[in-house]
Amino acid sequence: MKILLDAHISGRTVGKALIESCHDVRALDSEPELEGLSDPEVLELAVAEGRVLVTANIRDFEPLLREWAGEGRPHAGMMLVPSSVKNEAFGVLISGVEETIADTDQEEWVDRVAWLRKA
């Protein structure tokens, strides 16, 4: 699965574990050239590369998704991470991402929004 981790999700820990599980992962916190992207730019990057965006920034991305839906703009999928999960140990987040994407393929994530839950 192609995944983009938003700035609040550790690329060094979460991203590394997902890469070791054979996922194609980019992480904003691991690529200096991506630092400072606005939320719309992050979503556009995920769309351009066909990546499911994993974010804990629900406050900003929920309205952005509604705006895109109203405009008929597709996205490559989004996984929303509630603070109750984000504040857990990295293992909970990693297993939650793995479980959420299990038995799906990239195409099934187009325009899908899923709440990550504790695995």
Side-chain angles (χ1 to χ4, degrees):
M1 185 75 64
K2 292 172 66 176
I3 298 170
L4 177 63
L5 301 178
D6 198 4
H8 306 290
I9 309 293
S10 171
R12 187 175 48 168
T13 305
V14 176
K16 182 180 178 202
L18 294 172
I19 288 168
E20 289 172 355
S21 293
C22 298
H23 299 291
D24 178 345
V25 180
R26 290 188 75 185
L28 296 183
D29 74 346
S30 300
E31 298 184 41
E33 67 275 11
L34 300 180
E35 188 174 316
L37 288 180
S38 68
D39 294 332
E41 290 170 328
V42 170
L43 187 52
E44 288 170 8
L45 174 63
V47 169
E49 296 187 358
R51 294 179 183 277
V52 174
L53 176 60
V54 179
T55 184
N57 186 359
I58 296 163
R59 181 182 54 134
D60 293 331
F61 277 101
E62 251 186 341
L64 187 56
L65 284 172
R66 280 193 293 276
E67 178 185 320
W68 277 44
E71 296 170 358
R73 293 179 69 182
H75 59 85
M78 187 172 298
M79 196 176 305
L80 301 171
V81 181
S83 58
S84 62
V85 175
K86 183 184 177 289
N87 295 331
E88 291 282 340
F90 285 125
V92 173
L93 183 55
I94 294 162
S95 61
V97 170
E98 289 279 15
E99 185 171 301
T100 303
I101 61 176
D103 301 322
T104 63
D105 61 32
Q106 202 77 49
E107 293 78 34
E108 291 178 85
W109 275 91
V110 173
D111 290 331
R112 178 186 285 193
V113 178
W115 286 88
L116 187 138
R117 302 202 191 308
K118 292 181 187 178

